[in-house]
Amino acid sequence: MAGTTNLIMKTLLLFPVVALSPGTAVRYSANWTSIDSRPLPPWYDEAKIGIFIHWGVFSVPGFGQFSEWFWWWWKGAQREAEVDFMNKHYPPNFEYTDFANNFRAQFFNPDDWADIFESSGAKYVVFVSKHHEGFCNWPSEVSWNWNSVDIGPHRDLVGELAEAVRKREGLHFGLYHSLYEWFNPLYLKDKASGFKTQDFVFQKTLPELVHLVNTYKPELIWSDGDWEAPDTYWNSTEFLAWLYNDSPVKDYVVVNDRWGKGCYCTHGGYYNCADRFTPGTLPDHKWEKCQSVDNRSWGYRRNMKLIELMDLPTIIQDMVYVVALGGNYLLNISPMEDGMISPLFEERLRGMGGWLAVNGEAIYASKPWRVQGENTTVPVWYTSKNNTVYAIMLEWPSKLMLNLEVPKTTKDTIVTLLDNPSVPLKWLPTEPAGMVILMPEDTPVSHGQAWVLKLVEVA
Ligand SMILES: *[C@@H]1O[C@H](CO)[C@@H](O)[C@H](O)[C@H]1NC(C)=O
Ligand SMILES: *[C@@H]1O[C@H](CO)[C@@H](O)[C@H](O)[C@H]1NC(C)=O
Ligand SMILES: *[C@@H]1O[C@H](CO)[C@@H](O)[C@H](O)[C@H]1NC(C)=O
Ligand SMILES: *[C@@H]1O[C@H](CO)[C@@H](O)[C@H](O)[C@H]1NC(C)=O
Ligand SMILES: *[C@@H]1O[C@H](CO)[C@@H](O)[C@H](O)[C@H]1NC(C)=O
């Protein structure tokens, strides 16, 4: 174990000093100015839609608001709901780590999962490799036995899912990774030193990150759990310089912005900012909104109720708003400890895929337009591809005439509805700008409660 750690640390120590030489690819230095200057690999902006998957030992108790924090609620914050739950239902000497024996994954079929993800219309998957509880969903050599091969499922969950996802053309595979671990003694020791020592980082975090990258070659790293310590404690810029210069994924890997206290919304690749980031105007940096179908938790809650889940129209409308404002939409589902995805989550994902199968042209590889939306006849969000503009209506107009104030028509303008693209719709320009469109009499079926008008050759 120690030998491996040393090797990995030596690898990490090699990178920062290589100078930029003519004729070779740009090399990044271990500072934010340099790291932040890397262009985002284009696949990410084009993909637009991802699926987030929170699965771990927390899925076993599967209880309470933000169930993935169960251990912390119970032992750290000592939140009443979790403390009562444990007192009522478990013997007094029961430890959180005992839950791992019941993390069985007996129905986990990674191909079934990949099929659902593909059917959702998503173009990337972000799987929790390790959450703040520290349990590794892959055989980490520096995790003692706190991983899915030594206990619980006795399977390499990351590896199996990576392989199944990669069989689907057009689905990218990414990993979520928590930098900190609430109760790891090494972390607690560093924390007690005011983060002056870095034993946890050098013996756990960095070896694991490098191992994940070299073994599973994730196309995206969704970093989290950074906020208690500065990025200099995590050696984040050193890790990212290695990732961008010398790792096997250097040409296409994408990362987010959670790399140390104060980093989010400021440094890294694309920005997540806070969970469920919901900007009011077009941000000037690529961003992603992560949102959970179960809005009260990222991990599975056995006590969730139907009314607490986002319904399909709400999901579609949220996704459309995000894409119109230049974001990506990362929709979370929460598998059960036995490896099943609740048919309720599956229904939402397949429903999103049904809508995207008709309307995806307005979403994938689109760009924000010069105006993001208007509310003239009905609420409309805009996306664009050069001179083609997509007006995404969140309501079907009650009158046959739909007014759009923003598009400037030309003599070549053609208007169609993506539900029925072979039938051009009649339209007339209005003064001083805008247009009025004669809508079809019958409302097309849209399971997502959003309809797309394609406006060809408008300005
Ligand atoms: C970051 O690295 C670049 C390239 O080595 C260097 O030119 C620049 O001065 C560094 N910036 C800071 C703030 O250290
Ligand atoms: C961590 O960062 C420090 C300070 O920048 C550097 O001296 C050290 O080599 C780095 N170590 C690793 C393993 O990245
Ligand atoms: C989700 O929950 C947050 C607070 O936790 C709330 O602000 C937001 O409106 C909720 N969204 C939906 C769609 O219910
Ligand atoms: C339309 O108006 C509603 C209510 O003010 C607002 O919440 C929504 O964001 C607007 N939609 C667009 C596309 O501007
Ligand atoms: C826009 O036009 C350029 C050049 O004609 C083309 O290469 C590009 O693919 C177009 N972009 C989109 C989003 O259609």
Side-chain angles (χ1 to χ4, degrees):
M1 196 171 85
T4 320
T5 311
N6 280 339
L7 235 182
I8 294 163
M9 285 177 65
K10 273 179 202 145
T11 317
L12 278 167
L13 283 165
L14 279 176
F15 53 65
V17 281
V18 187
L20 194 138
S21 59
T24 60
V26 175
R27 290 191 66 86
Y28 296 93
S29 301
N31 68 54
W32 285 121
T33 316
S34 177
I35 295 296
D36 292 345
S37 73
R38 177 176 179 260
L40 205 60
W43 73 262
Y44 177 76
D45 178 48
E46 290 165 13
K48 303 293 185 196
I49 317 290
I51 303 297
F52 209 0
I53 307 135
H54 276 71
W55 199 32
V57 171
F58 52 79
S59 312
V60 176
F63 174 83
Q65 292 223 9
F66 300 105
S67 71
E68 69 287 352
W69 279 62
F70 187 93
W71 195 0
W72 180 260
W73 298 137
W74 177 29
K75 291 293 188 186
Q78 303 189 0
R79 195 163 74 171
E80 201 181 340
E82 284 73 13
V83 172
D84 285 354
F85 176 79
M86 291 310 296
N87 286 344
K88 247 184 221 154
H89 303 292
Y90 291 86
N93 55 352
F94 192 92
E95 304 275 345
Y96 183 79
T97 47
D98 295 331
F99 281 125
N101 299 319
N102 286 323
F103 183 25
R104 304 271 301 282
Q106 59 274 52
F107 300 134
F108 174 50
N109 181 336
D111 287 308
D112 288 351
W113 285 25
D115 178 57
I116 295 170
F117 304 150
E118 186 179 42
S119 304
S120 77
K123 301 296 179 196
Y124 63 105
V125 164
V126 180
F127 183 55
V128 165
S129 63
K130 181 194 85 171
H131 207 266
H132 313 324
E133 64 185 13
F135 187 83
C136 296
N137 281 334
W138 85 99
S140 160
E141 288 173 342
V142 290
S143 66
W144 299 86
N145 70 343
W146 193 228
N147 69 71
S148 66
V149 170
D150 287 334
I151 44 170
H154 296 287
R155 290 166 71 173
D156 177 0
L157 306 177
V158 172
E160 289 189 38
L161 188 62
E163 193 188 333
V165 164
R166 292 215 162 99
K167 280 191 230 152
R168 317 275 160 155
E169 213 182 313
L171 257 192
H172 299 268
F173 185 72
L175 289 173
Y176 166 106
H177 173 270
S178 173
L179 293 171
Y180 88 149
E181 297 174 17
W182 297 309
F183 301 116
N184 189 304
L186 282 175
Y187 179 70
L188 294 176
K189 193 173 130 289
D190 287 349
K191 191 171 167 177
S193 82
F195 298 113
K196 299 273 186 305
T197 60
Q198 290 177 285
D199 293 348
F200 176 68
V201 175
F202 295 149
Q203 290 176 44
K204 186 76 168 45
T205 317
L206 288 177
E208 278 185 349
L209 271 171
V210 170
H211 183 215
L212 280 172
V213 169
N214 285 337
T215 310
Y216 306 107
K217 304 183 177 54
E219 289 155 87
L220 189 153
I221 298 177
W222 210 104
S223 183
D224 196 21
D226 59 325
W227 50 79
E228 288 189 346
D231 62 87
T232 46
Y233 168 73
W234 299 116
N235 267 47
S236 293
T237 55
E238 286 81 5
F239 169 72
L240 290 169
W242 170 77
L243 189 72
Y244 291 173
N245 291 331
D246 298 308
S247 80
V249 296
K250 65 187 170 63
D251 296 327
Y252 52 79
V253 72
V254 167
V255 306
N256 68 346
D257 55 352
R258 297 187 182 177
W259 296 101
K261 195 176 188 165
C263 277
Y264 87 12
C265 252
T266 306
H267 292 303
Y270 70 81
Y271 295 169
N272 277 116
C273 304
D275 291 353
R276 301 191 210 78
F277 181 49
T278 304
T281 55
L282 185 68
D284 60 7
H285 190 95
K286 183 66 197 181
W287 63 285
E288 176 189 72
K289 176 174 184 175
C290 56
Q291 169 69 47
S292 190
V293 173
D294 174 3
N295 193 35
R296 301 187 182 195
S297 186
W298 302 93
Y300 189 70
R301 288 189 303 141
R302 290 179 293 144
N303 57 334
M304 74 180 173
K305 301 194 172 73
L306 183 62
I307 196 172
E308 294 160 351
L309 303 188
M310 289 178 78
D311 62 14
L312 184 58
T314 311
I315 292 170
I316 303 280
Q317 297 187 359
D318 198 27
M319 178 246 286
V320 164
Y321 142 79
V322 165
V323 173
L325 265 68
N328 274 23
Y329 195 60
L330 182 62
L331 185 64
N332 181 74
I333 51 115
S334 326
M336 297 181 261
E337 95 293 340
D338 60 13
M340 289 301 292
I341 291 173
S342 156
L344 268 175
F345 290 128
E346 178 178 354
E347 185 263 352
R348 297 297 194 275
L349 296 197
R350 291 192 190 274
M352 181 167 76
W355 188 86
L356 284 164
V358 174
N359 300 296
E361 180 185 333
I363 301 294
Y364 305 122
S366 67
K367 299 280 177 209
W369 195 38
R370 64 178 168 85
V371 174
Q372 279 64 64
E374 65 171 290
N375 257 321
T376 311
T377 311
V378 293
V380 166
W381 290 110
Y382 288 114
T383 62
S384 69
K385 288 179 181 170
N386 292 330
N387 294 336
T388 297
V389 171
Y390 299 92
I392 310 174
M393 303 178 285
L394 302 191
E395 286 167 29
W396 187 258
S398 56
K399 298 166 289 182
L400 284 182
M401 298 293 183
L402 174 86
N403 234 73
L404 295 176
E405 278 181 352
V406 186
K408 294 176 188 145
T409 58
T410 65
K411 64 177 176 22
D412 299 321
T413 297
I414 300 169
V415 180
T416 51
L417 195 63
L418 290 187
D419 291 85
N420 196 1
S422 58
V423 181
L425 301 179
K426 294 202 170 77
W427 61 273
L428 284 171
T430 51
E431 292 296 331
M435 63 201 296
V436 58
I437 299 166
L438 182 62
M439 300 296 287
E441 285 188 30
D442 298 321
T443 314
V445 178
S446 167
H447 299 293
Q449 296 300 308
W451 298 265
V452 180
L453 289 166
K454 179 177 180 179
L455 317 175
V456 175
E457 293 302 324
V458 296

